[in-house]
């Protein structure tokens, strides 16, 4: 069984875990419609990824 050689103080232990922060996602511009999207994700607005159409968007019918 692993046993620590010396006690880790509360301050040292708490400062080690104090650096966990949320970061905002990096956004890039879509090459087709110029909307801001996450990188490496199909554009939800136009359906393009890496300059190729991957998802065909359906047109909404107006009645």
């Amino acid at each position: 069984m692993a046993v620590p050689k010396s006690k880790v103080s509360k301050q040292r232990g708490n400062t080690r875990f104090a650096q966990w922060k949320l970061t905002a996602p990096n956004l890039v511009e879509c090459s087709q419609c110029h909307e801001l999207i996450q990188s490496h994700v199909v554009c939800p607005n136009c359906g393009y990824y890496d300059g190729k159409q991957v998802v065909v968007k359906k047109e909404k019918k107006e009645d």
Side-chain angles (χ1 to χ4, degrees):
M1 186 167 100
V3 178
K5 284 191 180 268
S6 61
K7 178 182 177 180
V8 176
S9 67
K10 292 175 191 171
Q11 181 178 358
R12 184 175 290 273
N14 290 340
T15 54
R16 183 169 55 245
F17 297 113
Q19 299 302 319
W20 293 88
K21 299 178 189 133
L22 290 176
T23 58
N26 293 331
L27 300 177
V28 295
E29 189 177 87
C30 176
S31 60
Q32 293 296 122
C33 65
H34 306 290
E35 290 280 324
L36 289 179
I37 59 169
Q38 285 185 340
S39 58
H40 307 289
V41 174
V42 175
C43 179
N45 190 31
C46 64
Y48 275 75
Y49 178 76
D50 197 25
K52 301 171 192 155
Q53 188 171 15
V54 180
V55 178
V56 178
K57 300 292 284 186
K58 293 182 180 178
E59 297 290 329
K60 291 186 177 180
K61 293 183 181 178
E62 294 184 24
D63 291 337

